[in-house]
């Protein structure tokens, strides 16, 4: 019988993203025994009338166009081997299947064949192809998807995910972002202690079924969120987009207990389990295991923390409590809440740590915080006992210190005078100030030594203490898994830091590249290290610069070896194949199709990170005063600015020569685009040349603006609207697309954008009369 399981392949969603099947992977057994019997029986010669049931999916493809030409066949089992098969008159696709079984260990029970047509970026399933065109390549991929485990030690999470090994590493990271919220540009994937590059396929690293990949997150903690709690306090936290919902809850609960408690999660595991809490972003519930990036939380977002009973107003009732000063308060809780909720509400009123409180009823009975409040009416008020606070030196003898975090956010911390500065920084880190132990505590420009006591170095306690970051650790993963720990200075340039890395590791950057989060570090070397991709506790991987991929081409009784650079261009692939004398000319097109697909991920996925920057942030601002208003003009730059331009005579122009050429060009044509009698000094829009140097820094001195880079546009300098008559084709004028985008300035609060695009409309030429309408 033929199995009822559908053939697994690639599909595309409504936005073009890859969708993956969830079928199990039968890699542990060569053939399903209950269907086909033993493997040997399948490999035996059989009559032509008796076809393998698995062969029915291939059908009869038309091979007439490729008779006498070699077809390249590649298998995932030997990714560095390409076999050539020459179909002759009368051959069918079943001859290719038989050849793949005998030469490439093709197993139709666990593998499938796919067709890669010339010019296509994705291989196609057999049921969607009917004619094999010249230059087609045959790919053998796993029939079933693989199940792998992604382990995130920083978040203590393990994720089981179904993947296909022909995915790129960037596609896997994109799925992690879609399903969990991990930011794509802050993920490092490791497999067998080897970093995975974004532009490479998973099969290049021999990722197998049931493998374990490790996820290393590059945490920057650059998002400020405000959390409103059900006990009436609001907390300000600097978090990363990889922070989970439970991480937010743990940071908040850490501030409700005394500093002697180390593991707050274990303390609240019984008193206030996480299934009784709920965290909202507006009206949306945040799942505990998902990252904040999954919900699109931005800087300044407000979260709300509550219990399920209080959030849904389930049987709310008052609980009378007598405070230590004799006052009586009515605490409103749900009958489904635990007594720990009452204690947290008392913490919001008094500021006392929850772990040092005792609630006593009936005069002497201590209430267990893990018990449910219930619906029993309490006749006498519950008494609050805080006698246990006498054992905490921070609360008994402590002095309040005020810390300036950032953006006007301050933290108040009560510490004992005998504590050291180092222990104070560790306490700040425990209550939610990220990486506080790496910062320097500064008062009026004076750095507080770590080994000194608070009472010895702080004289005025009301002066706010600032946090200053001068150096931070990074980890360099060198050759043969050797890890170096270095201190990066935040104000040093990237060039200085790279020089120190060279001295530390002894590896020259002429032969090695730095890999950060799956991409090559290509930041400007004049930037400070802190402004680059290298952040606190980052992991940098040194990979060889000159890498080659070797492919063995099998054809009959001989083989040829082809060496191709790791990041080749299309023309390089063509040149290498053309110079290879041992490969028959009939197979060059098919091998070229396969190699273009193999290395196509480098070009396809290499520039996707730039698309994450919103258009509003990519556009540069130019400003000019017109009348009583300021007019802002925003121009979108190219993603890859040019630094050199060719003149029409073929001469290479540098930036200085190009600027001179632009000035002469503007002077020669400055009046052609204006109506007759127009005064250029009145209501003049900012003049933006069509060509601007990529490295030239232009400043608006009138408004004392910061210098910005001006990027070139796509339009050539001889195709402006003032040169319309030079470009004629089939009786019409060729008009370049508009490059100016104008916005009304106004105040910063006015978010309404008004675009004024200038278009030049042309009409067909009739006779000798030219009609040009400009708007």
């Amino acid at each position: 019988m033929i199995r009822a399981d559908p053939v697994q392949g690639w599909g595309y969603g409504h936005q073009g993203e890859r969708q993956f099947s969830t079928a199990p992977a039968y890699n542990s057994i060569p053939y399903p025994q209950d269907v086909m019997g033993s493997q040997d029986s399948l490999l035996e010669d059989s009559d032509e009338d008796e076809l393998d049931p698995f062969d029915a999916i291939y059908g009869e493809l038309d091979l007439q166009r490729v008779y006498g030409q070699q077809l390249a066949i590649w298998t995932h089992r030997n990714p560095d081997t390409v076999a050539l098969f020459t179909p002759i008159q009368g051959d069918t696709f079943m001859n290719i299947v038989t050849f793949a079984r005998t030469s490439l260990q093709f197993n139709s029970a666990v593998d499938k064949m796919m067709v890669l047509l010339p010019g296509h970026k994705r291989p196609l399933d057999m049921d969607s192809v009917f004619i094999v065109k010249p230059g087609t390549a045959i790919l053998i991929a796993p029939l079933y998807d693989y199940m792998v485990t992604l382990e995130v030690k920083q978040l203590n999470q393990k994720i089981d995910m179904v993947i296909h090994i022909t995915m790129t590493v960037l596609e896997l990271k994109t799925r992690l972002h879609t399903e969990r919220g991990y930011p794509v540009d802050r993920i490092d994937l490791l497999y067998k202690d080897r970093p995975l590059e974004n532009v490479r396929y998973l099969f290049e690293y021999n990722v197998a079924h049931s493998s374990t990949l490790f996820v290393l997150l590059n945490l920057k903690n650059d998002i400020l969120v405000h959390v409103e709690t059900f006990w009436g306090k609001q907390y300000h936290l600097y978090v990363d987009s990889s922070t989970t919902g439970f991480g937010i809850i743990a940071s908040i609960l850490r501030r409700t207990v005394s500093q002697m408690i180390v593991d707050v999660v274990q303390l609240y595991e019984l008193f206030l389990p996480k299934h009784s809490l709920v965290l909202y972003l507006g009206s949306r519930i945040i799942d505990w295991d998902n990252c904040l990036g999954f919900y699109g939380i931005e800087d300044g977002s407000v979260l709300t923390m509550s219990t399920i009973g209080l959030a849904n107003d389930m049987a709310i009732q008052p609980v009378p409590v007598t405070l230590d000063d004799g006052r009586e308060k009515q605490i409103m809780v749900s009958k489904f809440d635990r007594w720990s909720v009452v204690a947290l509400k008392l913490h919001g009123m008094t500021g006392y740590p929850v772990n040092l409180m005792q609630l006593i009823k009936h005069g002497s009975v201590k209430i267990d915080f893990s018990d449910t409040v219930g619906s029993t009416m309490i006749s006498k008020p519950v008494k609050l006992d805080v006698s246990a606070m006498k054992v905490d030196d921070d609360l008994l003898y402590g002095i309040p210190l005020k810390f300036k975090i950032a953006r006007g956010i301050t933290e108040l911390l009560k510490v004992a005078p005998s504590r050291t500065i180092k222990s104070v920084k560790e306490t700040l880190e425990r209550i939610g100030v990220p990486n506080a132990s790496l910062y320097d505590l500064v008062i009026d420009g004076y750095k507080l030594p770590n080994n000194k006591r608070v009472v010895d170095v702080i004289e005025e306690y009301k002066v706010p203490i600032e946090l200053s970051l001068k150096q931070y650790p990074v980890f360099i993963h060198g050759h043969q898994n050797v890890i170096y720990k270095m201190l990066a200075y935040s104000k040093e340039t990237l060039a200085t830091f790279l020089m120190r890395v060279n001295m530390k590791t002894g590896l020259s950057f002429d032969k090695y590249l730095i890999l950060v989060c799956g991409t090559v570090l290509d930041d400007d070397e004049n930037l400070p290290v802190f402004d680059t991709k290298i952040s606190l506790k980052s992991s940098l991987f040194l990979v060889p610069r000159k890498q080659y991929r070797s492919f063995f081409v099998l054809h009959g009784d001989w083989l040829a070896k082809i060496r191709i650079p790791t990041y080749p261009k299309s023309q390089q692939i063509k040149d290498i194949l053309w110079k290879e004398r041992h490969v028959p000319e009939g197979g060059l097109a098919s091998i070229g199709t396969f190699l273009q697909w193999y290395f196509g991920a480098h070009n396809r996925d290499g520039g996707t990170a730039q698309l994450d920057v919103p258009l509003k942030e990519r556009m540069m601002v130019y400003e000019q005063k017109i009348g009583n208003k300021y007019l802002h003009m925003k121009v979108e730059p190219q993603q890859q600015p040019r630094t050199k331009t060719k003149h029409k005579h073929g001469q290479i122009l540098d930036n200085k020569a190009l600027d001179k050429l632009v000035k002469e060009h503007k002077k020669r044509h400055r009046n052609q685009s204006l109506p007759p009698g127009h005064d250029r000094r009145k209501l003049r829009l900012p003049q933006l040349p069509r060509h601007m140097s990529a490295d030239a820094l232009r400043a608006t001195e009138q408004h004392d603006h910061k210098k910005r880079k001006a990027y070139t546009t796509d339009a050539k300098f001889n195709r402006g609207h003032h040169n319309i008559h030079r470009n004629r084709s089939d009786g019409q004028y060729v008009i370049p697309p508009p490059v100016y985008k104008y916005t009304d300035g106004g105040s910063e609060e006015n978010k309404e954008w008004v675009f004024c695009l200038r278009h030049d409309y042309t009409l067909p030429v009739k006779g000798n009369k030219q009609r040009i309408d400009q708007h």
Side-chain angles (χ1 to χ4, degrees):
M1 294 179 62
I2 300 178
R3 293 181 61 90
D5 296 341
V7 179
Q8 304 299 330
W10 284 307
Y12 295 88
H14 64 283
Q15 294 181 348
E17 67 271 12
R18 296 274 294 281
Q19 294 177 342
F20 302 89
S21 58
T22 57
Y26 295 100
N27 293 332
S28 58
I29 55 176
Y31 288 89
Q33 300 294 333
D34 57 340
V35 178
M36 296 306 305
S38 64
Q39 176 182 1
D40 297 335
S41 62
L42 289 175
L43 299 179
E44 294 177 355
D45 294 335
S46 59
D47 297 336
E48 295 182 359
D49 296 336
E50 297 180 2
L51 295 179
D52 194 321
F54 289 97
D55 296 338
I57 64 175
Y58 298 116
E60 296 292 336
L61 292 183
D62 186 2
L63 300 179
Q64 293 184 5
R65 297 188 182 182
V66 293
Y67 284 155
Q69 303 183 24
Q70 287 78 24
L71 296 179
I73 305 176
W74 171 86
T75 176
H76 69 97
R77 299 185 183 276
N78 298 308
D80 57 350
T81 301
V82 179
L84 295 180
F85 176 80
T86 306
I88 61 176
Q89 187 72 29
D91 280 352
T92 63
F93 200 83
M94 290 308 305
N95 296 94
I96 300 177
V97 174
T98 303
F99 171 77
R101 283 177 179 166
T102 56
S103 301
L104 301 176
Q105 300 178 353
F106 172 59
N107 189 337
S108 57
V110 293
D111 296 333
K112 65 177 178 180
M113 283 190 176
M114 307 187 75
V115 178
L116 180 63
L117 297 177
H120 284 226
K121 295 182 179 180
R122 304 286 187 186
L124 303 175
D125 283 330
M126 304 298 298
D127 55 358
S128 60
V129 180
F130 304 97
I131 300 176
V132 178
K133 301 179 181 179
T136 299
I138 308 299
L139 308 182
I140 300 177
L143 177 60
Y144 300 106
D145 295 337
Y146 288 172
M147 178 69 73
V148 298
T149 301
L150 299 170
E151 184 173 344
V152 191
K153 290 187 176 180
Q154 292 166 290
L155 303 179
N156 195 21
Q157 291 182 356
K158 287 187 178 181
I159 307 168
D160 293 331
M161 183 175 292
V162 179
I163 65 169
H164 201 280
I165 62 170
T166 54
M167 294 173 56
T168 61
V169 177
L170 183 61
E171 288 174 337
L172 179 57
K173 291 183 178 181
T174 304
R175 287 193 60 194
L176 281 174
H177 173 71
T178 304
E179 299 178 9
R180 292 285 179 164
Y182 302 150
V184 176
D185 57 344
R186 300 184 185 182
I187 300 177
D188 262 316
L189 288 180
L190 303 178
Y191 181 62
K192 295 182 178 179
D193 297 331
R194 185 180 178 185
L196 308 187
E197 299 183 49
N198 286 354
V199 296
R200 299 182 66 173
Y201 297 99
L202 294 178
F203 64 76
E204 298 184 54
Y205 300 98
N206 297 322
V207 176
H209 178 60
S210 302
S211 300
T212 300
L213 282 72
F214 293 93
V215 180
L216 187 62
L217 298 174
N218 188 10
L219 305 178
K220 293 186 178 181
N221 298 299
D222 54 351
I223 300 177
L224 176 64
V225 297
H226 311 282
V227 184
E228 297 179 351
T229 60
F230 62 86
W231 56 87
K233 283 191 175 182
Q234 187 182 58
Y235 299 90
H236 312 284
L237 300 177
Y238 274 97
V239 297
D240 191 82
S241 55
S242 300
T243 306
T244 60
F246 184 71
I248 295 288
I249 296 297
S251 299
I252 295 301
L253 294 179
R254 186 64 187 84
R255 304 190 178 199
T256 63
V257 298
S258 62
Q259 306 306 322
M260 66 178 65
I261 301 297
V262 178
D263 192 353
V264 67
V265 176
Q266 184 178 2
L267 174 66
Y268 277 99
E269 199 171 41
L270 183 62
F271 290 166
L272 194 66
K274 66 178 184 179
H275 68 263
S276 62
L277 297 174
V278 63
L279 191 65
Y280 289 100
L281 174 63
S283 59
R284 190 177 181 184
I285 299 178
I286 296 180
D287 187 70
W288 300 120
D289 296 331
N290 287 344
C291 296
L292 299 183
F294 180 80
Y295 304 94
I297 292 182
E298 300 177 350
D299 194 30
S301 298
V302 178
L303 306 179
T304 304
M305 174 185 171
S306 182
T307 64
I308 296 179
L310 293 176
N312 296 278
D313 294 331
M314 296 189 301
I316 304 298
Q317 61 181 8
V319 175
V321 179
T322 302
L323 303 181
D324 56 335
D325 56 0
R327 294 179 299 165
E328 183 175 327
K329 294 290 184 181
Q330 298 288 336
I331 308 299
M332 306 301 295
V333 295
S334 171
K335 71 175 184 179
F336 304 104
D337 287 333
R338 307 196 180 197
W339 282 98
S340 56
V341 175
V342 178
L344 283 170
K345 287 207 167 188
L346 291 174
H347 167 75
M349 296 179 181
T350 62
Y352 299 152
V354 175
N355 62 308
L356 300 180
M357 292 184 185
Q358 285 290 341
L359 294 178
I360 301 176
K361 63 180 180 179
H362 305 307
S364 60
V365 179
K366 295 182 179 180
I367 298 177
D368 190 354
F369 285 170
S370 61
D371 292 340
T372 305
V373 175
S375 58
T376 304
M377 297 302 296
I378 302 175
S379 57
K380 294 184 178 180
V382 177
K383 183 180 179 181
L384 173 63
D385 184 10
V386 292
S387 59
M389 294 179 56
K390 297 180 181 179
V391 301
D392 194 320
D393 294 339
D394 290 329
L395 298 175
L396 190 61
Y397 307 106
I399 53 178
L401 298 180
K402 186 178 182 180
F403 297 90
K404 293 179 62 176
I405 308 301
R407 305 185 197 175
I409 303 299
T410 59
E411 290 288 346
L412 295 177
L413 185 64
K414 196 172 184 180
V415 299
S418 59
R419 295 184 61 178
T420 62
I421 299 298
K422 182 179 180 180
S423 64
V424 172
K425 293 195 292 185
E426 292 174 351
T427 302
L428 282 174
E429 187 166 351
R430 283 199 300 269
I431 67 173
V433 180
N435 303 309
S437 59
L438 302 177
Y439 285 76
D440 295 330
L441 301 185
V442 179
I443 297 181
D444 295 334
Y446 172 71
K447 173 186 173 183
L448 305 182
N450 289 335
N451 57 351
K452 296 294 184 179
R453 298 186 304 171
V454 173
V455 68
D456 297 333
V457 294
I458 300 179
E459 298 179 356
E460 181 60 43
Y461 301 122
K462 295 183 179 180
V463 177
I465 302 175
E466 298 180 357
L467 275 68
S468 174
L469 180 65
K470 294 185 177 180
Q471 60 185 17
Y472 54 90
V474 295
F475 301 95
I476 312 296
H477 298 252
H479 189 53
Q480 295 180 350
N481 297 328
V482 180
I483 302 177
Y484 305 89
K485 182 179 180 181
M486 291 186 56
L487 290 177
Y489 299 92
S490 57
K491 294 185 178 181
E492 69 175 341
T493 62
L494 180 59
T496 305
F497 173 77
L498 295 180
M499 181 185 65
R500 295 200 298 115
V501 172
N502 185 11
M503 298 174 61
K504 181 76 172 181
T505 62
L507 301 177
S508 174
F509 290 105
D510 294 336
K511 299 181 180 180
Y512 286 86
L513 294 171
I514 290 186
L515 204 65
V516 181
C517 297
T519 59
V520 177
L521 181 65
D522 56 354
D523 293 333
D524 188 0
E525 293 188 354
N526 296 323
L527 291 175
V529 178
F530 192 75
D531 295 337
T532 63
K533 300 176 184 177
I534 305 175
S535 59
L536 281 73
K537 301 179 181 180
S538 294
S539 292
L540 312 180
F541 299 89
L542 294 177
V543 295
R545 180 183 294 269
K546 295 183 179 180
Q547 298 183 14
Y548 288 87
R549 310 283 178 85
S550 297
F551 294 92
F552 299 95
V553 180
L554 304 179
H555 186 231
D557 297 333
W558 58 267
L559 66 85
K561 183 178 180 181
I562 302 176
R563 296 182 71 232
I564 298 180
T566 306
Y567 303 99
K569 298 181 180 179
S570 299
Q571 189 61 39
Q572 285 182 293
I573 297 177
K574 295 177 183 178
D575 294 340
I576 293 174
L577 289 178
W578 185 253
K579 294 177 182 179
E580 183 57 51
R581 300 296 183 182
H582 298 287
V583 178
E585 293 185 4
L588 292 178
S590 183
I591 297 177
T593 300
F594 161 72
L595 293 178
Q596 294 289 351
W597 166 78
Y598 192 95
F599 295 102
H602 302 169
N603 300 326
R604 182 172 69 251
D605 298 337
T608 53
Q610 298 181 3
L611 301 178
D612 297 337
V613 183
L615 175 63
K616 185 177 178 180
E617 297 181 9
R618 284 189 281 120
M619 298 177 71
M620 295 172 297
V621 181
Y622 293 85
E623 184 179 281
Q624 182 169 338
K625 185 175 181 181
I626 299 180
N628 296 326
K629 296 183 64 178
Y630 284 99
L631 180 67
H632 295 266
M633 180 172 65
K634 294 196 173 186
V635 181
E636 180 183 1
Q638 273 188 341
Q639 294 182 359
Q640 296 180 353
R642 293 185 307 217
T643 57
K644 290 187 178 181
T645 306
K646 278 191 176 183
H647 194 265
K648 61 182 178 180
H649 300 297
Q651 180 183 2
I652 301 296
L653 301 179
D654 56 7
N655 297 326
K656 186 175 181 181
L658 182 60
D659 290 340
K660 183 178 179 181
L661 181 64
V662 170
K663 288 182 180 180
E664 295 177 356
H665 184 71
K666 286 176 53 182
K667 183 178 180 181
R668 194 163 54 244
H669 302 282
R670 63 181 181 271
N671 293 323
Q672 294 188 16
S673 61
L674 298 177
H678 179 75
D679 190 356
R680 301 181 61 90
R681 294 172 297 180
K682 295 182 180 180
L683 300 178
R684 179 187 175 189
L685 294 176
Q687 292 296 315
L688 230 174
R690 295 287 181 117
H691 279 275
M692 293 178 290
S693 170
D695 296 329
L697 296 177
R698 305 180 184 274
T700 309
E701 299 178 357
Q702 180 179 359
H703 304 293
D704 195 20
H705 278 310
K706 197 175 182 180
K707 291 186 178 182
R708 301 180 177 90
K709 286 187 178 182
Y711 291 84
T712 180
T713 62
D714 290 334
K716 294 184 179 179
F717 59 85
N718 60 348
R719 294 179 60 193
H721 58 270
H722 42 264
N723 282 336
I724 296 178
H725 60 278
R726 296 186 180 184
N727 299 315
R728 180 181 298 181
S729 175
D730 299 331
Q732 293 186 357
Y733 293 98
V734 180
I735 301 300
V739 296
Y740 298 131
K741 296 184 177 71
Y742 301 100
T743 62
D744 190 7
S747 61
E748 186 64 25
E749 292 78 9
N750 185 12
K751 300 300 181 182
E752 182 178 359
W753 289 63
V754 181
F755 288 92
C756 302
L757 303 181
R758 169 161 184 161
H759 294 265
D760 293 324
Y761 296 95
T762 64
L763 299 176
V765 177
K766 295 183 179 180
N768 296 327
K769 186 178 180 181
Q770 300 178 358
R771 299 177 59 189
I772 301 179
D773 297 333
Q774 294 185 357
H775 299 278

